[in-house]
Amino acid sequence: MAQPEAQSGTTATENPSPYQSKLYVPQASSRPGEAADFSDLKIPAAGDTGKPALDCTATEISELAYGLVRVLDDEGQATGPWAPALKPEQLRQGLKHMMHVRAYDERMFRMQRQGKLSFYMKCTGEEAIAVSQAMALESGDMLFPTYRQQGLLFVRGRPVVDMMCHCISNSKDNLKGRQMPVFYSWKEGNYFSISGNLATQYSQAVGWAMASAYKGEDHLACAWVGDGSTAEADVYHALLFASTYRAPAILNVVNNQWAISTPQSFAAAGSTFAARGTGFSIPSLRVDGNDFLAVYAATQWAAERARLGLGATFIEHFTYRTEGHSTSDNPDGYRAKGEGQAWPLGDPIERLKQHLINLGEWSQEQHEALAIELKDSVTADWKQAISYGTLDEGPHWPVETVFDDVFKDMPAHLRKQRQKMGV
Amino acid sequence: MAQPEAQSGTTATENPSPYQSKLYVPQASSRPGEAADFSDLKIPAAGDTGKPALDCTATEISELAYGLVRVLDDEGQATGPWAPALKPEQLRQGLKHMMHVRAYDERMFRMQRQGKLSFYMKCTGEEAIAVSQAMALESGDMLFPTYRQQGLLFVRGRPVVDMMCHCISNSKDNLKGRQMPVFYSWKEGNYFSISGNLATQYSQAVGWAMASAYKGEDHLACAWVGDGSTAEADVYHALLFASTYRAPAILNVVNNQWAISTPQSFAAAGSTFAARGTGFSIPSLRVDGNDFLAVYAATQWAAERARLGLGATFIEHFTYRTEGHSTSDNPDGYRAKGEGQAWPLGDPIERLKQHLINLGEWSQEQHEALAIELKDSVTADWKQAISYGTLDEGPHWPVETVFDDVFKDMPAHLRKQRQKMGV
Amino acid sequence: MAKMTMVQAINSALDCTMKKDPNVLVMGQDVGYFGGVFRCTEGLYEKYGSHRALDTPIAEGGIMAAAIGMGVNGLRPVVEMQFADYIYPAIDQIISELARLRHRSGGEFFAPVTVRAPSGGGIRGGQTHSQSPEGIFTHVCGLKTVMPSNPYDAKGLLIAAIEDDDPVMFFEPKRIYNGPFYGHGSDSHGGENKVITSWSAHPAGEVPEEYYKIELGKAATVMPGDDVTVLAYGTMVHVAEAAIKASGINAELIDLRTLLPLDLETVAESVQKTGRCVIIHEATRTSGYGAELVAEVQEECFWCLKAPIERVTGWDTPYPHAFEWEYFPSRERIIEALERTLACD
Amino acid sequence: MAKMTMVQAINSALDCTMKKDPNVLVMGQDVGYFGGVFRCTEGLYEKYGSHRALDTPIAEGGIMAAAIGMGVNGLRPVVEMQFADYIYPAIDQIISELARLRHRSGGEFFAPVTVRAPSGGGIRGGQTHSQSPEGIFTHVCGLKTVMPSNPYDAKGLLIAAIEDDDPVMFFEPKRIYNGPFYGHGSDSHGGENKVITSWSAHPAGEVPEEYYKIELGKAATVMPGDDVTVLAYGTMVHVAEAAIKASGINAELIDLRTLLPLDLETVAESVQKTGRCVIIHEATRTSGYGAELVAEVQEECFWCLKAPIERVTGWDTPYPHAFEWEYFPSRERIIEALERTLACD
Ligand SMILES: Cc1ncc(C[n+]2csc(CCOP(=O)(O)OP(=O)(O)O)c2C)c(N)n1
Ligand SMILES: Cc1ncc(C[n+]2csc(CCOP(=O)(O)OP(=O)(O)O)c2C)c(N)n1
Ligand SMILES: [Mg+2]
Ligand SMILES: [Mg+2]
């Protein structure tokens, strides 16, 4: 892949520097006032990419790190060697999960705007990744997500009420009021505690996978990181340790092209993210992240490799962050307003819906009815959740429980501090 | 490049674990008692590798990251497109520097064994890298070395006596008795202060290069790291920042195949080190590190790229650490005794000597005379150095100078502590 | 003079130094085009260009290393860490390299880097957007550590930090970026604590638009008093002030401003007068900077002390999302400590 | 019972726990085939195989992350950091992850990782092989911090650390790996300080070969005394002992052994008796763990104190290669502090 064309990044209008800077500064795909334009993107046709043998080497398939595995074409037809053998029932299940996630996100975002949550993050446009991957994995596989893989919880069956209770830190919050919204943890579902620190858990996932191999078990670890977060050292360590010890892990990069206001060009090193895996001898794929079927197939392939003892797989999911980073920012301040519309890979829900309709397994009417059903169910869940307490009014966990779990057993100095709290 | 063959690394003789571990653990090239064997190594013939255009992309030359740029063949003939246009005088100069480094190392190592130094590290077998690279660079280029590039100092003309004075922390040590031996610093020679912390300066070099571009200057930064140290996060950051901002930098990996007792297989991720650069869009070369001419040519090529604003180059120098890691270890404890002899790329001094003799520009007699001259000169330097003080007996810098340079101006609390020292 | 929030004052400090010295640049995540998640670098990109308001990858360690290299090459980088909680990936570069460079090179090299980091709690950021790690940096020789408590100081101290040839850790108490915080009702969740007080009503919200410096290493006496010395910095200065006023106690309140080097003279003089000392910080208690203050004060003023020196601090727990007002050293806890201290004779 | 050096005692602790629990493994740079640069893991590779005496790449942050992941998956990794000076690249994983995991997950997840790190000076290692960073970790809630001063304690404490379900930072004072150090002559360079004293002559060099534990969080009274309490840990316990003996002062010497949780009961009881306290550590002074000790002691024992609490510490400078004996808190400096303290009335 060629380097992006050399452009000086300066836009200074009033630069008093005596220096003639030659520093290159990357550009954004678009900024406000510009026309969003993805026409330079080379997007291979669905079905065009070959499916390599499970025991391929990274260099043998290095082209796949620069391409794009796609199954669903623009008309919603599944095509090519990667098309997974999924039953209509499974496809409908996937569609339902994605729609459920979207309904949940919309509700929670609105509740944040009404002051009921301190913060919220949606995954709009990226639902296929978490939902499809969770469906392709086994329940004993350990998930190390970021804050944008809420879909995993829906597939693994976490009660929505419990997720909400966490987000409003109420008396039923399994995290006891300690974490910001969306930093879920769910041991029962093998869903690891999310950290506010980006990328730190990516390399922990590899350690988890090494332990699985150490114990002779078949479980794999699956971890996610955003495009921007790939710059963190933990990603390097994850790749290196996964390669060195051939850990049974799936390492995903969710390239939604933005990291708050920073475009992927600051993290992508003029290449694809997947390309970074090849130098570590880790077979690396680049996948249409808005294509439920392609994500499923790639994950299944990677999981099989892991279970056969063939080591880790690195997967870049190419997608687009349709909305703001979180409730704290307005994307219109840093990218062209129409960029989301210009994005050519579409919406994952629409694409899977069309596929199911093509198969004769779904209809517009069913779709609309399901959307209403899910919206109502989320509304009912919310009502139930706030019946266990709200962020501002409580009830919360008793405040003195903040001293619990710092250590397994509370040492004397914390007992003393708890007393001083006077509750 | 194919992955190394899968072998379970366990050698347990008495493992009470109930687990059937499936963890892969890398192997060493050899361990004591085994026969050293490099016959699996694919070494291309000298002259076989093409020389790409300066403005090539990383992916266009990705093969070079798996190959080996070689100029000097086994008979000492220079061949192929990489052969640099060096005058005999320059070649003799290079040879002399390498021999000087070796004489210096031998002397200092012996002095450590006699208790005159607290510690020492040789670069035996790796002299070509630092010497040849320094000769290919300009004096305004900034060097960010590790402890094994003492050759840079010889080329840049640092008085040997000064280096010795540092190593014995005496009254003429420019580092005022603060640093362990071999952690040189020499501002005048644009030789950055070496850190005991591995790899930390690799990414600083990129920042230095970014500043050079920011100021519109033509100086580049040249940094080194060992094979083992490539595992540190700083190397990732260096590659990423160098790529993102197209910094005028040369990033070198000195792959001498050992990191204390740990073989390169723990850091190499089943691939070459150079291969890691390609995923960052940084043109990456793998070079015969024991071939003075190949190292020179690769460095010159990289320097030209940097000065043309084409960004960084990543160079793996394939070499072999002939001796122990430092004065603190005995390599016979962790690798086959004959491994150094089995290493097929020879000795850099011998190879350049042969080349000069082939050219009719050098003779065995001249060589022997020079060796004696350099040995004597180092001996004289040592005598002079210890006349300024020894580690155990002094004179050192006044002990209270330890409080200087913590800050630019000494704050009150340090003045108070200095008083308490009572000197 | 203008009315400025602390965000604006910081922005103005950056603007003044960038205007004055072409070697100054700001760098960090989202600091360029976007102007920073807290808006501290707003407008600098438009004014000075993408090279001097430099967006970076999300790699605190890489950013710090790049800044050090730039500093060695003659620039004065001002690094923004998006949250102080995210300094840790950069801490090796800070401790092992930035802090040590001048000393280990015998004075040959140095890197005049300033690290700005929004710190402290009070914005419902939970444990990873609320930390106060300043104590750690005061243990590292070779670093200066600063935390302003108001817009006027923030600007003057930041300019001094940037122009200082030593590396400076500059912690910005984000709870008071946009207005002072007086520790409203630690027991009410929805109510009083949401009151936003504005800097425009505060005298230190008056900030000159032009360049000025406040010398590092000098504390400020916020309220004179005779019976007890209260040492605080950052957000806690205002909570302490409110507590003192509410208690009616004749306390002397000192805003340390610079933690290292500490203005021990001002502190000791006060405690010698009052004979009592209460220390307040948000950071966790054990081995926090308060411990160092206790150690120094008791060493300097032992013979005048009429009561044990008290520390009112954050608890030794991670910072909890739902319970920040119980975590914050509250007016109530401060008043209790003052009263306990005064009760000693 | 056998005669063991501290290196052998540590090795024996690892051997005992690995034998007992297949989930225990050691990992780190050069710990496998080679047996560790200080030989602490010697023989474990031969005995337990390359999977349980696991060599790693040189990436402290990666090692720590892998260990956390393993810990979450049921293993008990014992990580060796080759030198405590090289912990910093791993500190984000330690502070943001290892220490916080149990709390932030509401008790759902934890990682029982032990981090072993040779620390302190005295082997002419210069500034990057001599640091004592323990104070930093005592400021991080969720971590336990331990530093033994002799072979017997090292083994018992290490076994307790490995079996503890909380993460433990286990600092090993490398100066006394092979024999105690009594702070010989701070003014002679070549002479007395090179004297190697052997553990075999020391009572704590008698170490059972079998499994035993010493409870974390309990200090040990090394010498009873009435006139002044001396608090020390690691190498400094022996220097303090030598200083006390040389001075003839009737001091009570307490070896803290565990810094967090601190055995405040033992400490306070002693200071209540003696009314005086001198604290000794090698680490830099400002915001070192000594500050926390001062703060706690003066809070607990204020009314009994007859003199300011003194700290005898390393200077606030990087650790210098050529001047380590002047950097070390010497017998002379300790004696002066003791005498100054006793002179107060
Ligand atoms: C170590 C660290 N640095 C900075 C941040 C602040 N931060 C939170 S999200 C974010 C952007 C992440 O972007 P990306 O990785 O692309 O993920 P996305 O939000 O797009 O899913 C930043 C900078 C953080 N949480 N942790
Ligand atoms: C951050 C850090 N970790 C560990 C060490 C200890 N150490 C010093 S040299 C070394 C091996 C380095 O090997 P390599 O990078 O291959 O360089 P070489 O010695 O072969 O030139 C190690 C582990 C260190 N100095 N710094
Ligand atoms: Mg993103
Ligand atoms: Mg090496």
Side-chain angles (χ1 to χ4, degrees), chain C residues 96-115:
Chain C
S96 306
E97 297 291 320
L98 182 61
R100 303 267 152 80
L101 180 55
R102 186 190 291 275
H103 193 265
R104 80 158 190 250
S105 69
E108 287 191 345
F109 294 102
F110 70 99
V113 177
T114 302
V115 181

Side-chain angles (χ1 to χ4, degrees), chain B residues 226-228 254 256-259:
Chain B
D227 50 295
V254 180
N256 65 9
Q257 305 183 57
W258 288 91

